[in-house]
Amino acid sequence: MSAPAKKTAAKAATSKKAAAPKKTATSKKASAAPKKSATKAAAPKQPTVAKKSAARPETHTALVRRARKINRELAEVYPYAHPELDFENPFQLLVATVMSAQTTDLRVNQTTPALFAKYPTPEDLAAANPEEVEELIRPTGFFRAKTRSIMGLAKALSEDFGGEVPGRLEDLVKLPGVGRKTAFVVLGNAFGRPGITVDTHFGRLVRRWKWTDETDPDKVERAIGELFPKSEWTQLSHNVIFHGRRICHSRKPACGACPIAPLCPAYGEGETDPDKAEKLLKYEKGGFPGQRLKPPQSYLDAGGLPAPPLAGREA
């Protein structure tokens, strides 16, 4: 090989050696970096809404849009949402709602069949022996106070309303043990008149979703009423309460199984792992019976199961 050719070959070898990447610890770390970022990408992310709200306050218009979108999503998840107290007429619903304070709807539903079998009308209940009524409703707790309330409202219905439950808010709230929450349950579900039911689940969720910061039930009712058309109030109440009982629990919400997670500012307060979150689901979402002994057919068609009767009592 001639001298010029040898020089050319030597230069090529040198440049090729310089171009080759060195196998150092740094290059190994660099090659491992994509795997690390892929792991981060797979982890659950905080919803966009929560990040935006932290940087810039949500406008009222944006709040209305988000609130209504959440309600639409809930309506798709719970197309069978309904009042979870068993009743056949306004009187039964009124009594059952008063009895539901400080207990579950399930416990009330397991208790009222025997009560209504013995006292089917306001006149019958008004004339009852208080001790016998107390014994019948004892499983619901606070049975003495509840006996005074339901016997008092039965007497008022008999004497002031001809034994019929009135269909006006101003009349209902005059009855013993009946506040706005109870009145709206009766108006919305027995008379078809719109109302927002602010129970513990409803108040907790609307604050968690940043729909309002109010804690007083009457103020919560007014604040939420401004976000939705009046015609949607009753069903909105069912949707929110159903979600609170099944997925968005008080102490440990099942965030990883929540259908509205991208819209929720509180995402991450509960379990975000989908498999672990699924184990937290209650009632039909978790494959368990619901709260009503005689639920609507739409609920049964969707896979819901009726609750068992109280042991030793007829359903």
Side-chain angles (χ1 to χ4, degrees):
M1 183 180 289
S2 64
K6 283 183 179 179
K7 283 185 180 181
T8 304
K11 280 184 180 180
T14 304
S15 59
K16 192 175 181 181
K17 194 173 184 181
K22 293 182 179 179
K23 293 185 179 181
T24 62
T26 306
S27 62
K28 282 184 180 179
K29 284 183 181 178
S31 62
K35 289 184 180 179
K36 193 173 181 181
S37 62
T39 305
K40 282 186 178 179
K45 292 183 178 180
Q46 191 76 359
T48 307
V49 172
K51 289 183 178 179
K52 284 186 177 180
S53 62
R56 185 172 59 224
E58 187 175 36
T59 66
H60 181 72
T61 299
L63 170 61
V64 170
R65 288 174 179 168
R66 183 170 62 86
R68 294 186 181 185
K69 187 172 183 180
I70 285 176
N71 189 40
R72 288 194 299 271
E73 294 284 343
L74 293 180
E76 291 184 10
V77 177
Y78 311 105
Y80 46 78
H82 58 276
E84 294 191 89
L85 288 168
D86 281 325
F87 70 98
E88 294 178 359
N89 54 55
F91 173 61
Q92 289 187 0
L93 179 58
L94 178 60
V95 171
T97 305
V98 171
M99 287 174 55
S100 69
Q102 304 299 315
T103 191
T104 63
D105 286 356
L106 171 58
R107 179 58 68 186
V108 175
N109 292 336
Q110 293 172 325
T111 306
T112 51
L115 178 71
F116 294 142
K118 191 165 187 177
Y119 310 111
T121 68
E123 291 82 2
D124 294 325
L125 185 56
N129 182 329
E131 292 181 358
E132 292 180 0
V133 175
E134 287 177 3
E135 190 58 32
L136 284 171
I137 72 170
R138 181 184 290 269
T140 66
F142 302 95
F143 56 92
R144 291 190 179 89
K146 291 178 181 181
T147 294
R148 288 193 294 271
S149 292
I150 64 176
M151 289 189 68
L153 70 83
K155 183 179 179 181
L157 291 176
S158 302
E159 295 178 354
D160 302 331
F161 298 99
E164 299 292 331
V165 176
R168 299 194 313 163
L169 176 65
E170 52 268 39
D171 292 329
L172 284 169
V173 294
K174 293 177 183 177
L175 299 172
V178 179
R180 290 177 69 88
K181 183 195 85 170
T182 297
F184 282 130
V185 169
V186 175
L187 290 173
N189 298 291
F191 293 98
R193 294 175 184 169
I196 294 176
T197 304
V198 184
D199 73 348
T200 55
H201 299 287
F202 190 94
R204 173 170 56 80
L205 264 63
V206 298
R207 285 188 290 273
R208 183 171 276 173
W209 295 335
K210 304 299 182 185
W211 289 4
T212 181
D213 292 326
E214 300 290 354
T215 55
D216 178 77
D218 291 350
K219 292 180 180 179
V220 171
E221 177 197 323
R222 286 193 291 273
I224 304 307
E226 293 176 357
L227 303 179
F228 295 89
K230 191 173 182 178
S231 60
E232 296 181 12
W233 287 357
T234 299
Q235 194 57 44
L236 166 70
S237 301
H238 294 325
N239 294 342
V240 174
I241 293 169
F242 252 59
H243 191 61
R245 286 175 171 166
R246 285 151 178 78
I247 296 179
C248 196
H249 311 135
S250 177
R251 294 183 181 179
K252 198 169 184 181
C255 294
C258 182
I260 61 164
L263 300 168
C264 181
Y267 175 81
E269 286 186 7
E271 181 58 66
T272 57
D273 180 86
D275 294 330
K276 292 180 180 178
E278 191 172 355
K279 294 177 182 178
L280 300 175
L281 302 182
K282 295 183 179 179
Y283 302 111
E284 77 287 343
K285 290 297 179 186
F288 303 108
Q291 301 203 73
R292 290 185 67 163
L293 276 72
K294 300 177 181 178
Q297 189 60 45
S298 60
Y299 176 77
L300 297 174
D301 292 342
L305 300 172
L310 186 66
R313 299 275 174 87
E314 290 184 2

CSV table of all heavy atoms in Angstrom, one decimal, residues 231-285:
chain,number,residue,atom,x,y,z
A,231,SER,N,-86.2,21.4,36.8
A,231,SER,CA,-86.7,20.1,36.4
A,231,SER,C,-85.8,19.0,36.7
A,231,SER,O,-86.2,17.8,36.7
A,231,SER,CB,-87.0,20.2,34.9
A,231,SER,OG,-85.8,20.4,34.1
A,232,GLU,N,-84.5,19.3,36.9
A,232,GLU,CA,-83.5,18.2,37.1
A,232,GLU,C,-83.2,18.0,38.6
A,232,GLU,O,-82.4,17.0,39.0
A,232,GLU,CB,-82.2,18.6,36.4
A,232,GLU,CG,-82.3,18.6,34.9
A,232,GLU,CD,-80.9,19.0,34.3
A,232,GLU,OE1,-79.9,18.9,34.9
A,232,GLU,OE2,-80.9,19.3,33.0
A,233,TRP,N,-83.8,18.8,39.5
A,233,TRP,CA,-83.4,18.8,40.9
A,233,TRP,C,-83.6,17.4,41.6
A,233,TRP,O,-82.7,16.9,42.3
A,233,TRP,CB,-84.1,19.8,41.7
A,233,TRP,CG,-83.7,21.2,41.4
A,233,TRP,CD1,-82.6,21.6,40.6
A,233,TRP,CD2,-84.3,22.4,41.9
A,233,TRP,NE1,-82.5,23.0,40.6
A,233,TRP,CE2,-83.5,23.5,41.4
A,233,TRP,CE3,-85.3,22.7,42.8
A,233,TRP,CZ2,-83.8,24.8,41.7
A,233,TRP,CZ3,-85.6,24.0,43.1
A,233,TRP,CH2,-84.9,25.1,42.6
A,234,THR,N,-84.7,16.8,41.4
A,234,THR,CA,-85.0,15.5,42.1
A,234,THR,C,-84.1,14.4,41.6
A,234,THR,O,-83.5,13.7,42.4
A,234,THR,CB,-86.5,15.1,41.8
A,234,THR,OG1,-87.4,16.1,42.4
A,234,THR,CG2,-86.8,13.8,42.5
A,235,GLN,N,-83.9,14.3,40.3
A,235,GLN,CA,-83.1,13.2,39.8
A,235,GLN,C,-81.6,13.5,40.1
A,235,GLN,O,-80.9,12.5,40.3
A,235,GLN,CB,-83.3,13.0,38.2
A,235,GLN,CG,-82.7,11.8,37.7
A,235,GLN,CD,-83.2,10.5,38.4
A,235,GLN,OE1,-84.4,10.4,38.6
A,235,GLN,NE2,-82.4,9.6,38.7
A,236,LEU,N,-81.2,14.7,40.1
A,236,LEU,CA,-79.9,15.1,40.5
A,236,LEU,C,-79.6,14.6,41.9
A,236,LEU,O,-78.5,14.0,42.1
A,236,LEU,CB,-79.7,16.6,40.4
A,236,LEU,CG,-78.5,17.2,41.1
A,236,LEU,CD1,-77.2,16.8,40.3
A,236,LEU,CD2,-78.6,18.7,41.3
A,237,SER,N,-80.5,14.8,42.8
A,237,SER,CA,-80.4,14.3,44.1
A,237,SER,C,-80.1,12.8,44.2
A,237,SER,O,-79.2,12.3,44.9
A,237,SER,CB,-81.6,14.6,45.0
A,237,SER,OG,-81.8,16.0,45.0
A,238,HIS,N,-80.9,12.0,43.4
A,238,HIS,CA,-80.8,10.6,43.4
A,238,HIS,C,-79.4,10.2,42.8
A,238,HIS,O,-78.7,9.3,43.3
A,238,HIS,CB,-81.8,9.9,42.5
A,238,HIS,CG,-83.2,10.1,43.1
A,238,HIS,ND1,-83.5,10.0,44.4
A,238,HIS,CD2,-84.4,10.2,42.5
A,238,HIS,CE1,-84.8,10.2,44.6
A,238,HIS,NE2,-85.4,10.3,43.4
A,239,ASN,N,-79.0,10.9,41.7
A,239,ASN,CA,-77.7,10.5,41.1
A,239,ASN,C,-76.5,10.7,42.1
A,239,ASN,O,-75.6,9.9,42.2
A,239,ASN,CB,-77.5,11.4,39.9
A,239,ASN,CG,-78.5,11.1,38.8
A,239,ASN,OD1,-79.1,10.1,38.7
A,239,ASN,ND2,-78.6,12.0,37.8
A,240,VAL,N,-76.5,11.9,42.7
A,240,VAL,CA,-75.4,12.2,43.6
A,240,VAL,C,-75.4,11.3,44.9
A,240,VAL,O,-74.4,10.8,45.3
A,240,VAL,CB,-75.5,13.7,44.1
A,240,VAL,CG1,-74.5,14.0,45.2
A,240,VAL,CG2,-75.4,14.6,42.9
A,241,ILE,N,-76.6,11.0,45.4
A,241,ILE,CA,-76.7,10.2,46.6
A,241,ILE,C,-76.3,8.7,46.3
A,241,ILE,O,-75.5,8.1,47.0
A,241,ILE,CB,-78.1,10.2,47.2
A,241,ILE,CG1,-78.3,11.6,47.8
A,241,ILE,CG2,-78.2,9.2,48.3
A,241,ILE,CD1,-79.8,11.9,48.2
A,242,PHE,N,-76.7,8.3,45.1
A,242,PHE,CA,-76.3,6.9,44.7
A,242,PHE,C,-74.8,6.8,44.6
A,242,PHE,O,-74.2,5.9,45.0
A,242,PHE,CB,-76.9,6.6,43.3
A,242,PHE,CG,-78.0,5.6,43.4
A,242,PHE,CD1,-79.2,5.8,44.1
A,242,PHE,CD2,-78.0,4.4,42.7
A,242,PHE,CE1,-80.2,4.9,44.2
A,242,PHE,CE2,-79.0,3.4,42.7
A,242,PHE,CZ,-80.1,3.7,43.5
A,243,HIS,N,-74.2,7.9,44.0
A,243,HIS,CA,-72.7,7.9,43.8
A,243,HIS,C,-72.0,7.9,45.1
A,243,HIS,O,-71.0,7.2,45.3
A,243,HIS,CB,-72.3,9.0,42.9
A,243,HIS,CG,-70.9,9.0,42.5
A,243,HIS,ND1,-70.4,8.0,41.7
A,243,HIS,CD2,-69.8,9.8,42.7
A,243,HIS,CE1,-69.1,8.2,41.4
A,243,HIS,NE2,-68.7,9.3,42.0
A,244,GLY,N,-72.5,8.7,46.1
A,244,GLY,CA,-71.9,8.8,47.4
A,244,GLY,C,-72.0,7.5,48.2
A,244,GLY,O,-71.1,7.1,48.9
A,245,ARG,N,-73.0,6.7,47.9
A,245,ARG,CA,-73.2,5.4,48.7
A,245,ARG,C,-72.4,4.3,48.0
A,245,ARG,O,-72.0,3.3,48.7
A,245,ARG,CB,-74.7,5.0,48.7
A,245,ARG,CG,-75.5,5.9,49.7
A,245,ARG,CD,-76.9,5.5,49.6
A,245,ARG,NE,-77.7,6.2,50.7
A,245,ARG,CZ,-79.0,6.3,50.8
A,245,ARG,NH1,-79.7,5.8,49.8
A,245,ARG,NH2,-79.5,6.9,51.8
A,246,ARG,N,-72.1,4.4,46.7
A,246,ARG,CA,-71.5,3.3,46.0
A,246,ARG,C,-70.0,3.4,45.7
A,246,ARG,O,-69.3,2.5,45.8
A,246,ARG,CB,-72.3,3.0,44.7
A,246,ARG,CG,-73.6,2.4,45.0
A,246,ARG,CD,-74.7,2.7,44.0
A,246,ARG,NE,-75.9,2.0,44.3
A,246,ARG,CZ,-76.8,2.3,45.2
A,246,ARG,NH1,-76.5,3.4,46.0
A,246,ARG,NH2,-77.9,1.6,45.5
A,247,ILE,N,-69.6,4.6,45.4
A,247,ILE,CA,-68.3,4.8,44.9
A,247,ILE,C,-67.5,5.9,45.7
A,247,ILE,O,-66.4,5.7,46.2
A,247,ILE,CB,-68.2,5.2,43.4
A,247,ILE,CG1,-68.7,4.0,42.6
A,247,ILE,CG2,-66.8,5.5,43.0
A,247,ILE,CD1,-68.8,4.2,41.1
A,248,CYS,N,-68.1,7.1,45.8
A,248,CYS,CA,-67.4,8.2,46.5
A,248,CYS,C,-67.7,8.2,48.0
A,248,CYS,O,-68.4,9.1,48.5
A,248,CYS,CB,-67.9,9.5,45.8
A,248,CYS,SG,-66.8,10.9,46.1
A,249,HIS,N,-67.1,7.3,48.7
A,249,HIS,CA,-67.4,7.1,50.1
A,249,HIS,C,-66.7,8.2,50.9
A,249,HIS,O,-65.8,8.9,50.4
A,249,HIS,CB,-66.8,5.8,50.5
A,249,HIS,CG,-67.3,4.6,49.7
A,249,HIS,ND1,-66.4,3.6,49.3
A,249,HIS,CD2,-68.5,4.3,49.1
A,249,HIS,CE1,-67.1,2.8,48.5
A,249,HIS,NE2,-68.3,3.2,48.4
A,250,SER,N,-67.1,8.4,52.1
A,250,SER,CA,-66.7,9.5,53.0
A,250,SER,C,-65.2,9.3,53.3
A,250,SER,O,-64.4,10.2,53.0
A,250,SER,CB,-67.5,9.5,54.2
A,250,SER,OG,-67.0,10.5,55.1
A,251,ARG,N,-64.8,8.2,53.9
A,251,ARG,CA,-63.4,8.0,54.4
A,251,ARG,C,-62.5,7.5,53.3
A,251,ARG,O,-61.3,7.9,53.3
A,251,ARG,CB,-63.4,7.0,55.6
A,251,ARG,CG,-64.2,7.6,56.8
A,251,ARG,CD,-64.1,6.6,57.9
A,251,ARG,NE,-64.8,7.1,59.1
A,251,ARG,CZ,-64.9,6.4,60.2
A,251,ARG,NH1,-64.3,5.2,60.4
A,251,ARG,NH2,-65.6,6.9,61.2
A,252,LYS,N,-62.9,6.7,52.4
A,252,LYS,CA,-62.0,6.1,51.4
A,252,LYS,C,-62.7,6.0,50.1
A,252,LYS,O,-63.2,4.9,49.7
A,252,LYS,CB,-61.5,4.8,51.9
A,252,LYS,CG,-60.2,4.4,51.1
A,252,LYS,CD,-59.6,3.1,51.8
A,252,LYS,CE,-58.2,2.8,51.1
A,252,LYS,NZ,-57.6,1.6,51.7
A,253,PRO,N,-62.8,7.1,49.3
A,253,PRO,CA,-63.5,7.0,48.0
A,253,PRO,C,-62.7,6.2,47.1
A,253,PRO,O,-61.5,6.1,47.1
A,253,PRO,CB,-63.5,8.5,47.6
A,253,PRO,CG,-62.4,9.2,48.4
A,253,PRO,CD,-62.4,8.5,49.7
A,254,ALA,N,-63.5,5.5,46.2
A,254,ALA,CA,-62.8,4.6,45.2
A,254,ALA,C,-62.5,5.3,44.0
A,254,ALA,O,-63.1,5.1,42.9
A,254,ALA,CB,-63.8,3.4,44.9
A,255,CYS,N,-61.5,6.2,44.1
A,255,CYS,CA,-61.1,7.1,43.0
A,255,CYS,C,-60.7,6.3,41.7
A,255,CYS,O,-61.0,6.7,40.6
A,255,CYS,CB,-60.0,8.0,43.4
A,255,CYS,SG,-60.4,9.2,44.7
A,256,GLY,N,-60.1,5.2,41.9
A,256,GLY,CA,-59.6,4.4,40.7
A,256,GLY,C,-60.7,3.7,40.0
A,256,GLY,O,-60.5,3.2,38.8
A,257,ALA,N,-62.0,3.7,40.5
A,257,ALA,CA,-63.1,3.1,39.9
A,257,ALA,C,-64.2,4.2,39.6
A,257,ALA,O,-65.3,3.8,39.2
A,257,ALA,CB,-63.7,2.0,40.7
A,258,CYS,N,-63.8,5.4,39.7
A,258,CYS,CA,-64.8,6.5,39.6
A,258,CYS,C,-64.9,7.0,38.1
A,258,CYS,O,-64.0,7.3,37.5
A,258,CYS,CB,-64.4,7.7,40.4
A,258,CYS,SG,-65.6,9.0,40.4
A,259,PRO,N,-66.2,7.0,37.6
A,259,PRO,CA,-66.4,7.4,36.2
A,259,PRO,C,-66.2,8.9,36.0
A,259,PRO,O,-66.1,9.3,34.8
A,259,PRO,CB,-67.8,6.9,35.9
A,259,PRO,CG,-68.5,7.0,37.3
A,259,PRO,CD,-67.4,6.6,38.2
A,260,ILE,N,-66.2,9.7,37.0
A,260,ILE,CA,-66.1,11.1,36.8
A,260,ILE,C,-64.7,11.7,37.3
A,260,ILE,O,-64.6,12.9,37.6
A,260,ILE,CB,-67.2,11.9,37.5
A,260,ILE,CG1,-67.2,11.6,39.0
A,260,ILE,CG2,-68.6,11.5,36.9
A,260,ILE,CD1,-68.1,12.6,39.8
A,261,ALA,N,-63.8,10.8,37.5
A,261,ALA,CA,-62.5,11.2,38.0
A,261,ALA,C,-61.8,12.3,37.3
A,261,ALA,O,-61.3,13.2,37.9
A,261,ALA,CB,-61.5,10.0,38.0
A,262,PRO,N,-61.9,12.4,35.9
A,262,PRO,CA,-61.3,13.5,35.2
A,262,PRO,C,-61.9,14.9,35.5
A,262,PRO,O,-61.4,15.9,35.3
A,262,PRO,CB,-61.5,13.2,33.7
A,262,PRO,CG,-61.7,11.7,33.7
A,262,PRO,CD,-62.4,11.4,35.0
A,263,LEU,N,-63.2,14.9,36.1
A,263,LEU,CA,-63.9,16.1,36.4
A,263,LEU,C,-63.8,16.5,37.9
A,263,LEU,O,-64.4,17.5,38.3
A,263,LEU,CB,-65.4,15.9,36.0
A,263,LEU,CG,-65.6,15.7,34.5
A,263,LEU,CD1,-67.1,15.3,34.3
A,263,LEU,CD2,-65.3,16.9,33.6
A,264,CYS,N,-63.2,15.6,38.6
A,264,CYS,CA,-63.2,15.8,40.1
A,264,CYS,C,-61.9,16.5,40.6
A,264,CYS,O,-60.8,16.0,40.5
A,264,CYS,CB,-63.4,14.4,40.8
A,264,CYS,SG,-63.4,14.5,42.6
A,265,PRO,N,-62.1,17.6,41.3
A,265,PRO,CA,-60.9,18.3,41.9
A,265,PRO,C,-60.3,17.6,43.0
A,265,PRO,O,-59.2,17.8,43.4
A,265,PRO,CB,-61.5,19.6,42.4
A,265,PRO,CG,-62.9,19.7,41.8
A,265,PRO,CD,-63.3,18.4,41.5
A,266,ALA,N,-61.0,16.6,43.6
A,266,ALA,CA,-60.6,15.9,44.8
A,266,ALA,C,-60.0,14.5,44.4
A,266,ALA,O,-59.7,13.7,45.3
A,266,ALA,CB,-61.7,15.7,45.8
A,267,TYR,N,-59.8,14.3,43.1
A,267,TYR,CA,-59.2,13.0,42.7
A,267,TYR,C,-57.9,12.7,43.4
A,267,TYR,O,-57.0,13.6,43.5
A,267,TYR,CB,-59.0,12.9,41.2
A,267,TYR,CG,-58.3,11.7,40.7
A,267,TYR,CD1,-59.0,10.5,40.5
A,267,TYR,CD2,-56.9,11.6,40.5
A,267,TYR,CE1,-58.4,9.3,40.1
A,267,TYR,CE2,-56.3,10.5,40.1
A,267,TYR,CZ,-57.0,9.3,39.9
A,267,TYR,OH,-56.4,8.2,39.5
A,268,GLY,N,-57.7,11.5,43.9
A,268,GLY,CA,-56.5,11.2,44.6
A,268,GLY,C,-56.7,11.2,46.2
A,268,GLY,O,-55.8,10.7,46.9
A,269,GLU,N,-57.8,11.7,46.7
A,269,GLU,CA,-58.1,11.6,48.1
A,269,GLU,C,-58.3,10.1,48.6
A,269,GLU,O,-58.1,9.8,49.7
A,269,GLU,CB,-59.3,12.4,48.5
A,269,GLU,CG,-59.0,13.9,48.5
A,269,GLU,CD,-60.2,14.7,49.0
A,269,GLU,OE1,-61.2,14.1,49.5
A,269,GLU,OE2,-60.2,16.0,48.9
A,270,GLY,N,-58.8,9.3,47.6
A,270,GLY,CA,-59.0,7.9,47.9
A,270,GLY,C,-58.1,7.0,47.2
A,270,GLY,O,-57.1,7.4,46.6
A,271,GLU,N,-58.5,5.7,47.1
A,271,GLU,CA,-57.7,4.7,46.4
A,271,GLU,C,-57.7,4.9,44.9
A,271,GLU,O,-58.8,4.9,44.3
A,271,GLU,CB,-58.2,3.3,46.8
A,271,GLU,CG,-57.4,2.2,46.1
A,271,GLU,CD,-56.0,2.2,46.5
A,271,GLU,OE1,-55.7,2.0,47.7
A,271,GLU,OE2,-55.1,2.4,45.6
A,272,THR,N,-56.5,5.1,44.3
A,272,THR,CA,-56.4,5.3,42.8
A,272,THR,C,-56.1,4.1,42.0
A,272,THR,O,-56.4,4.0,40.8
A,272,THR,CB,-55.4,6.4,42.5
A,272,THR,OG1,-54.1,6.0,43.0
A,272,THR,CG2,-55.8,7.7,43.1
A,273,ASP,N,-55.6,3.0,42.7
A,273,ASP,CA,-55.4,1.8,42.0
A,273,ASP,C,-56.7,1.1,41.6
A,273,ASP,O,-57.5,0.9,42.4
A,273,ASP,CB,-54.6,0.8,42.9
A,273,ASP,CG,-54.3,-0.5,42.2
A,273,ASP,OD1,-53.3,-0.6,41.5
A,273,ASP,OD2,-55.1,-1.4,42.3
A,274,PRO,N,-56.9,0.9,40.3
A,274,PRO,CA,-58.2,0.4,39.8
A,274,PRO,C,-58.7,-0.9,40.5
A,274,PRO,O,-59.8,-1.1,40.9
A,274,PRO,CB,-58.0,0.2,38.3
A,274,PRO,CG,-56.9,1.1,37.9
A,274,PRO,CD,-56.0,1.2,39.1
A,275,ASP,N,-57.7,-1.9,40.7
A,275,ASP,CA,-58.1,-3.1,41.3
A,275,ASP,C,-58.4,-3.0,42.7
A,275,ASP,O,-59.4,-3.6,43.2
A,275,ASP,CB,-56.9,-4.1,41.1
A,275,ASP,CG,-56.6,-4.5,39.7
A,275,ASP,OD1,-57.6,-4.5,38.9
A,275,ASP,OD2,-55.5,-4.8,39.3
A,276,LYS,N,-57.7,-2.2,43.5
A,276,LYS,CA,-58.0,-2.0,44.9
A,276,LYS,C,-59.2,-1.2,45.0
A,276,LYS,O,-60.0,-1.4,46.0
A,276,LYS,CB,-56.8,-1.3,45.6
A,276,LYS,CG,-55.5,-2.1,45.6
A,276,LYS,CD,-54.4,-1.3,46.3
A,276,LYS,CE,-53.1,-2.2,46.4
A,276,LYS,NZ,-52.0,-1.4,47.0
A,277,ALA,N,-59.4,-0.2,44.1
A,277,ALA,CA,-60.6,0.7,44.2
A,277,ALA,C,-61.9,-0.1,44.0
A,277,ALA,O,-62.9,0.1,44.6
A,277,ALA,CB,-60.5,1.8,43.2
A,278,GLU,N,-61.8,-1.1,43.1
A,278,GLU,CA,-63.0,-1.9,42.7
A,278,GLU,C,-63.5,-2.7,43.9
A,278,GLU,O,-64.7,-3.0,44.1
A,278,GLU,CB,-62.6,-2.9,41.6
A,278,GLU,CG,-63.9,-3.6,41.0
A,278,GLU,CD,-63.5,-4.4,39.7
A,278,GLU,OE1,-62.4,-4.3,39.3
A,278,GLU,OE2,-64.4,-5.1,39.3
A,279,LYS,N,-62.6,-3.1,44.8
A,279,LYS,CA,-62.9,-3.8,46.0
A,279,LYS,C,-63.7,-3.0,47.0
A,279,LYS,O,-64.3,-3.5,48.0
A,279,LYS,CB,-61.7,-4.4,46.7
A,279,LYS,CG,-61.0,-5.5,45.8
A,279,LYS,CD,-59.7,-6.0,46.4
A,279,LYS,CE,-59.1,-7.0,45.5
A,279,LYS,NZ,-57.8,-7.5,46.1
A,280,LEU,N,-63.7,-1.6,46.8
A,280,LEU,CA,-64.3,-0.7,47.8
A,280,LEU,C,-65.8,-0.4,47.4
A,280,LEU,O,-66.5,0.2,48.1
A,280,LEU,CB,-63.6,0.6,47.8
A,280,LEU,CG,-62.1,0.6,48.3
A,280,LEU,CD1,-61.5,1.9,48.2
A,280,LEU,CD2,-62.1,0.1,49.8
A,281,LEU,N,-66.2,-0.9,46.2
A,281,LEU,CA,-67.5,-0.6,45.7
A,281,LEU,C,-68.6,-1.3,46.5
A,281,LEU,O,-68.4,-2.4,46.9
A,281,LEU,CB,-67.6,-1.0,44.2
A,281,LEU,CG,-66.6,-0.4,43.2
A,281,LEU,CD1,-66.9,-0.9,41.8
A,281,LEU,CD2,-66.6,1.1,43.3
A,282,LYS,N,-69.7,-0.6,46.7
A,282,LYS,CA,-70.8,-1.1,47.5
A,282,LYS,C,-72.0,-1.3,46.7
A,282,LYS,O,-72.2,-0.9,45.5
A,282,LYS,CB,-71.1,-0.1,48.6
A,282,LYS,CG,-69.9,0.0,49.6
A,282,LYS,CD,-70.3,0.9,50.8
A,282,LYS,CE,-69.2,1.0,51.8
A,282,LYS,NZ,-69.5,2.0,52.9
A,283,TYR,N,-73.0,-2.0,47.3
A,283,TYR,CA,-74.2,-2.3,46.7
A,283,TYR,C,-74.1,-3.0,45.3
A,283,TYR,O,-73.1,-3.8,45.1
A,283,TYR,CB,-75.2,-1.1,46.7
A,283,TYR,CG,-75.4,-0.6,48.1
A,283,TYR,CD1,-74.9,0.6,48.5
A,283,TYR,CD2,-76.1,-1.3,49.0
A,283,TYR,CE1,-75.0,1.1,49.7
A,283,TYR,CE2,-76.3,-0.9,50.3
A,283,TYR,CZ,-75.7,0.4,50.7
A,283,TYR,OH,-75.9,0.8,52.0
A,284,GLU,N,-74.9,-2.7,44.4
A,284,GLU,CA,-74.8,-3.5,43.1
A,284,GLU,C,-73.5,-3.3,42.4
A,284,GLU,O,-73.1,-4.2,41.6
A,284,GLU,CB,-76.0,-3.1,42.2
A,284,GLU,CG,-75.9,-1.8,41.4
A,284,GLU,CD,-76.1,-0.6,42.3
A,284,GLU,OE1,-76.7,-0.7,43.4
A,284,GLU,OE2,-75.8,0.5,41.9
A,285,LYS,N,-72.8,-2.2,42.6
A,285,LYS,CA,-71.5,-1.9,41.9
A,285,LYS,C,-70.5,-2.9,42.5
A,285,LYS,O,-69.5,-3.2,41.8
A,285,LYS,CB,-71.1,-0.5,42.2
A,285,LYS,CG,-71.9,0.6,41.4
A,285,LYS,CD,-71.8,0.4,39.9
A,285,LYS,CE,-72.6,1.4,39.2
A,285,LYS,NZ,-72.6,1.2,37.7
